[in-house]
Amino acid sequence: MKTARVDARALIESVAARATLARVSVLAELLEAGRPLSHQEVLQRIDPPLDRVTAYRVFDWLETVGLAHRVNSTDRVTRFSVSRSSPCHAHFQCEQ
């Protein structure tokens, strides 16, 4: 997890932003997971814990600066994934 935190800090600093504990924690969890995570999944993984409002603000900020993007699925749960260099990519969901 330390590597994910270092990578998260570097990514945040690459957009000329402050690498706050909340931002680094959320982005590190997304990097570590390697798959889209819901708000709840991230909140369960973060230590020390964040309050929900702070987490929502961090997700919105990550999306605004292009470090993460929303993945909407058929179960109506919004998940977030780390944005990679390619702006165009697909998300597949198995239905069987």
Side-chain angles (χ1 to χ4, degrees), residues 37-45 52 56 59 77-78:
L37 296 175
S38 68
H39 294 93
Q40 190 62 34
E41 289 173 308
V42 171
L43 287 173
Q44 290 171 346
R45 293 170 179 235
R52 287 185 336 166
Y56 288 129
F59 281 114
V77 174
T78 300

Side-chain angles (χ1 to χ4, degrees), residues 18-77:
R18 284 186 329 126
T20 65
L21 177 62
R23 290 173 178 177
V24 171
S25 296
V26 170
L27 187 55
E29 289 303 332
L30 293 177
L31 287 166
E32 185 77 14
R35 65 175 178 84
L37 296 175
S38 68
H39 294 93
Q40 190 62 34
E41 289 173 308
V42 171
L43 287 173
Q44 290 171 346
R45 293 170 179 235
I46 289 179
D47 186 36
L50 290 178
D51 64 272
R52 287 185 336 166
V53 174
T54 300
Y56 288 129
R57 288 180 181 154
V58 170
F59 281 114
D60 287 342
W61 179 83
L62 288 170
E63 187 176 29
T64 299
V65 299
L67 294 176
H69 63 273
R70 291 177 195 263
V71 178
N72 297 310
S73 61
T74 56
D75 63 2
R76 296 184 182 197
V77 174

